[in-house]
Amino acid sequence: MDLRALGVASFAAAALAWFVLFILLTLRRTGDRTGRALLAAVVVQIGWAVASTVMMLRMTPAAGAAVAWLEALRGLAWIALLLQLLASGRPADRSGTTASDAARLGDAIGAGAAADTHATGTRDADDLLRRSRRSGLWLAAGLTVASIIVDLLSSNPQWVFAMRTLLAVYGLVCLEQVYRNTPQARRWALKFLAVALGALFGFDLFVFSDAMLYSRLNESWWIARGFANALLVPLLAIAAARNKQWQLDINVSRHAIFHSTALFGAGAYLVLMAAGGYYIRYFGGAWGEIAQTLLIFAAAVGLAIVLLSGAARARLRVFLSKHFFSYRFDYREEWLRLTRLLTEGDSHEGEPQDLPHRVIRALGRPVESPGGALWLRDGDAYRFAAGIRNWREAPFDVPIDAPLATFLKQREWVIELAEWRIHPERYDGLQLPAALTQREEAWLIVPLVLDADLLGFIVLTQPLAPLTVDWEVRDLLKTAARQVASYLGVQRAIEQLVQAQQFESFNRMSAFVVHDLKNLVAQLGLLTRNAQRHRDNPEFQDDMLATVENVMERMQGLLLQLRAGTRPIDQPEPVPVGDTLTQAVAAKRGLKPEATIEIGEDVSRRTVLAHRDRLERVIGHLVQNAAEASGPSGMIRVRARREGALALIEVEDNGKGMSEEFIRSRLFKPFVSTKAHGMGIGTFESREYVKELGGSLDVESREGLGTIFRIRLPLAGAAEPSAGA
């Protein structure tokens, strides 16, 4: 490589390095004058490097003049930065600067400043420092203008090199004053800036003093200046990082950075592939053009795959947040997105848009988690409510007093399962459900706390890109989880209010039904009283039959509206299990198919505490549902046996069955029915009554295969089952 090509590479490297520093500086915020002075010096430095690159490519008078101007302005810009550091009191402690100190600084940076300072010794130090800075700037500007004029008008190169040497010497003097007047405790913040600018002015002094002596530039040293200036960029970057007050008041959107970086990367990738294709075509002979075409085609396809990859985009976001921003998340954007997902959903995702699914996506989006599952409190356990991706179902519940539920309620910690497996002592030896820990995709457990009460929890799956779970991630998830819990709590309150309103309407309807029944009873009473006198009258007989038929039709209509009876006020009493099942099945003997009954001897003579008519109605309701689900050619079995201290009653059919989603979200919901004339309260009332007796009503069903309802009731006089039973 010849010297000209090496010079192009040298100054191009300097331009690129200083441009990267410029980007890093513009990403910072809330800066002061020093920060703006630093950015201005970096901009001039970029212009100088670009102009030098152009001059190395084409030795034209215009390029040479541009380099001469920018060479002088470059020195002025860095000197202005140093003088700004002196005047602003940073890093020096302004309160400790006296008038004599300011006078000494004035002596160092300009004669005019010194005279002014000694003449006004009674003024405060701040005013003297500002006046010294102005004088120093005037001196630096004078040297800069003189350097430009001499470069344009003088035919003697020694004068040009002399002016540039003086500018470099003045820059070193200003740097020495800044560093010497900085308190020892604060020199740490300026150390790398002093090294960088000392090297910059020192190299210039070395090059131009040598050129002044020999009336010519050393070409090798000149070319090396580009690489030397590029090597100073990391030092200035460290200095800027140590001096937070230099940050600039420029707000760059994370979306803009993400898309700009993606566009820049795609462009650089395509340029690289184009250069490779050109090389292959140039040296490839007869097959070069074919290989070039295939390379560019494959590069375009690969770029499209990367751009459409969610994992690649997630990795880019994590990289930018980690290396370009002081905080990993744009909290304003995250909060707006969380609110939007909770209120509106995300229709293009192709997932269900009910609130449980929305809250999973809302918590997973900030940490690039594509799926997860939600458990919500239902009675005495936390039950699976919704899932995304690999969590379509989770056939296990977490009891309300389980270690996981207790830990989440008391600590409100976000549990990282990988950390829990390696360091369980950090979680006080917490025991997690085996069905949860065995799922490799499980990543985080986030509690949903509402008013110090654990409403539920969410399990998030592994993110698309590796993400370190630090304090910032945990705080974001905990805060977002509280917002999510408030939405779920409001929805639950609304559902309870709606149910209360429905029950109020039901009670109002019951009052109307009782009133109608009263009228019907009155009609039958009148008919009974008249029957004693007119039972032999044919007209009365016809009228009596018509009245009875009318009463029967009206009562059937009322029974069709009111499927459940009123709650009895008497206390439960021992009810024989065998007799109750027999009577309940006999009452439904007209149904097709007829139910078969199997009662174990260990329970047939035992009793349970209940209201016989209501217990018969519960069993009859289940038999009725089984008949409707099975059809005339189906099968219904009613079985009873003892299970420890409990009586187990099963109603099984081979009908059409129910889905898990229907069982979870609709089966036991009041006023939800799939029947044309159903009120949707029979199954709900049955379960509530069984719970009232201290038992449970569970269901097992598979679509197309049938359903089994299981009623468990405590046997009267039976001891509680032991822990090992």
Side-chain angles (χ1 to χ4, degrees), residues 277-520:
Y278 176 80
Y279 179 85
I280 292 175
R281 181 175 182 178
Y282 187 79
F283 294 100
W287 54 270
E289 186 172 357
I290 298 175
Q292 179 194 34
T293 304
L294 291 176
L295 177 64
I296 295 176
F297 175 77
V301 173
L303 179 61
I305 293 174
V306 172
L307 291 178
L308 294 175
S309 170
R313 293 197 302 271
R315 288 176 182 270
L316 180 59
R317 290 193 189 95
V318 171
F319 175 82
L320 292 176
S321 298
K322 184 177 180 180
H323 295 90
F324 287 86
F325 294 93
S326 57
Y327 290 100
R328 179 178 299 183
F329 301 100
D330 184 343
Y331 292 101
R332 173 183 173 275
E333 181 64 27
E334 295 297 343
W335 199 255
L336 290 175
R337 183 166 57 185
L338 175 72
T339 305
R340 184 174 63 251
L341 281 174
L342 291 176
T343 56
E344 302 174 6
D346 213 357
S347 57
H348 68 275
E349 292 285 340
E351 295 283 352
Q353 294 303 306
D354 58 323
L355 185 60
H357 287 87
R358 294 204 305 268
V359 301
I360 299 173
R361 291 199 298 274
L363 275 187
R365 187 70 61 84
V367 292
E368 301 293 347
S369 175
L374 169 67
W375 276 259
L376 292 176
R377 190 178 61 207
D378 182 13
D380 57 353
Y382 293 93
R383 308 185 193 280
F384 178 77
I388 296 178
R389 296 288 179 94
N390 297 331
W391 292 86
R392 299 295 183 183
E393 60 180 18
F396 68 91
D397 298 333
V398 177
I400 199 170
D401 56 351
L404 173 60
T406 304
F407 182 86
L408 292 177
K409 182 177 180 180
Q410 293 178 350
R411 299 293 185 89
E412 300 183 27
W413 283 7
V414 175
I415 301 175
E416 184 182 6
L417 291 175
E419 182 185 51
W420 172 83
R421 293 186 180 98
I422 299 174
H423 301 287
E425 70 279 0
R426 296 180 182 178
Y427 297 93
D428 299 336
L430 172 66
Q431 296 295 321
L432 297 180
L436 178 60
T437 58
Q438 290 172 359
R439 304 193 67 148
E440 296 181 357
E441 69 272 19
W443 178 40
L444 298 176
I445 304 177
V446 184
L448 302 178
V449 179
L450 181 63
D451 294 333
D453 187 22
L454 185 65
L455 191 66
F457 59 90
I458 290 179
V459 178
L460 296 178
T461 59
Q462 295 288 344
L464 296 173
L467 182 68
T468 303
V469 183
D470 56 10
W471 65 269
E472 192 173 0
V473 173
R474 295 178 187 274
D475 285 351
L476 175 66
L477 289 176
K478 288 171 64 176
T479 305
R482 282 192 169 271
Q483 182 74 358
V484 164
S486 68
Y487 275 80
L488 291 170
V490 169
Q491 186 192 51
R492 176 164 293 187
I494 291 175
E495 290 178 350
Q496 293 174 350
L497 179 61
V498 170
Q499 288 184 10
Q501 291 175 341
Q502 290 173 328
F503 273 113
E504 183 181 356
S505 300
F506 179 77
N507 292 335
R508 189 181 299 112
M509 182 187 66
S510 300
F512 291 132
V513 170
V514 170
H515 182 267
D516 289 342
L517 285 175
K518 178 181 177 181
N519 293 335
L520 294 177

Side-chain angles (χ1 to χ4, degrees), residues 7 66 96 101 223 232 249 279 344 360 421 434 454 476 535 546 550 575 614 693 698:
D101 295 331
I223 292 174
L232 301 179
D249 192 14
Y279 179 85
E344 302 174 6
I360 299 173
R421 293 186 180 98
L454 185 65
L476 175 66
R535 57 185 176 184
N550 179 59
V575 175
R614 293 198 69 191
L693 298 178
D698 303 313

Side-chain angles (χ1 to χ4, degrees), residues 158-172:
Q158 285 185 315
W159 285 100
V160 177
F161 300 142
M163 296 306 299
R164 294 182 181 176
T165 301
L166 285 176
L167 201 59
V169 170
Y170 187 60
L172 288 173

